[in-house]
Amino acid sequence: EMAAALTREGGEDAFRRLFRFYRQRDASDLRGVVDFSAPGGQVFRSQLSISSVSDQDAYKAGLQPVSQWKAYGLSGYPGFIFIPNPFLPGCQRHWVKQCLKLYPENPNVCNLDLHMAPEKTTDLWGQSKEQLRRKGSSKWEPRSLLEKLRWVTLGYHYNWDTKRYSANHHTPFPSDLAFLSEQVAAACGFRGFQAQAGILNYYHFDSSLGIHVDESELDHSRPLLSFSFGQSSIFLLGGLKREEAPTAMFMHSGDIMVMSGFSRLLYHAVPRVLPNPEGTALPSCLDQALSSDLPVGSVIEHSSDEDWQVCAKYLQSSRINMTIRQVLAEGQKFPEESGTNGRGQAPSEDSCHENSKAKRHKPNTV
């Protein structure tokens, strides 16, 4: 009722008021949050382009055949598509391991690079895995470097300072993630999507993502793809203006969200990370083992038990989100720009996520 009243009020701070409501409220008061596992109300079934992705290519990306996916839209949000976990058993583990072990490594860029000497940020996984594996439940234990990870950029590296991408700060985009993204985009009607930039966000139970719009890409005709793994969260999807009250929805492990068309430039935020609704340390979809017979050409790799133990320990209190974008239209180039190293500064509240305690006392700390 409280959330509904805040939604009806509208006005300049409607989004901010709901952001604070869901950030501070008790976990028991989440009646106004849309749950796509039990759709109804403003939720409707959305059609996918089943013929655009062969079953073989879906399998190679670690996905079920598109004919078996469920996809939903939200009334009032044309171009928004929500796909509850379409991953094959065990395949989410690959993306979690890549986000923790491979993608944070050079030449990709992470928040730790802005504060630490290059030699200190090599092999974050190797420096953290024993500490993570031994970790207990005490909040007072020192955090490993992996637990201090807040974001990683891929492909065209987003500059948090200028809020731009540039031609002179680009590294190869991971081929496995590009393949996954291309299949999901094609299934949603966007054949020829090119994964050119990625921002990976690493959340803990005290993290949030400020209110913002993803508008730095030069081509807005291509969708924004969002993949979530680990603990759950509340996602707020608003309007074209800050004063429009948002709709709250749950995002669980394996869920995919596509923002396209009208919904591509809407304000959105993540006020809160929540324990997964099953009440277990990890959602059951992450307990499933990978099939031993992966198809030829699969981008999915088997994770060793040792590696997965580290990932599982990390995810007990964390959520990982990958957002993938096409920056340039076919044949488009960046405008000429004055010399810049493209490195950027630490992100502001509204561009990346914040730790409420760190933000109050030590801005831009790792």
Side-chain angles (χ1 to χ4, degrees), residues 134-146:
R134 292 193 309 267
K135 193 172 179 66
S137 56
S138 168
K139 290 181 179 177
W140 308 113
E141 289 182 64
R143 290 183 303 158
S144 63
L145 285 177
L146 271 182

Side-chain angles (χ1 to χ4, degrees), residues 42-84:
Q42 66 188 114
V43 176
F44 59 88
R45 283 297 289 266
S46 190
Q47 294 301 308
L48 293 168
S49 182
I50 293 170
S51 62
S52 294
V53 180
S54 69
D55 290 357
Q56 189 69 8
D57 280 345
Y59 289 141
K60 286 180 184 175
L63 298 163
Q64 298 173 24
V66 178
S67 59
Q68 294 179 24
W69 299 8
K70 290 188 171 76
Y72 299 99
L74 273 177
S75 55
Y77 297 95
F80 175 78
I81 304 169
F82 193 102
I83 305 166

Side-chain angles (χ1 to χ4, degrees), residues 324-341:
I324 313 304
R325 308 110 191 282
Q326 179 168 333
V327 176
L328 300 165
E330 192 76 45
Q332 189 178 21
K333 289 189 169 62
F334 287 100
E336 291 296 318
E337 52 188 307
S338 56
T340 169
N341 67 2

Side-chain angles (χ1 to χ4, degrees), residues 189-211:
F190 295 95
R191 296 183 84 153
F193 175 85
Q194 296 174 50
Q196 296 174 335
I199 298 179
L200 316 180
N201 276 315
Y202 300 80
Y203 298 83
H204 306 297
F205 282 134
D206 57 355
S207 304
S208 61
L209 175 73
I211 305 164

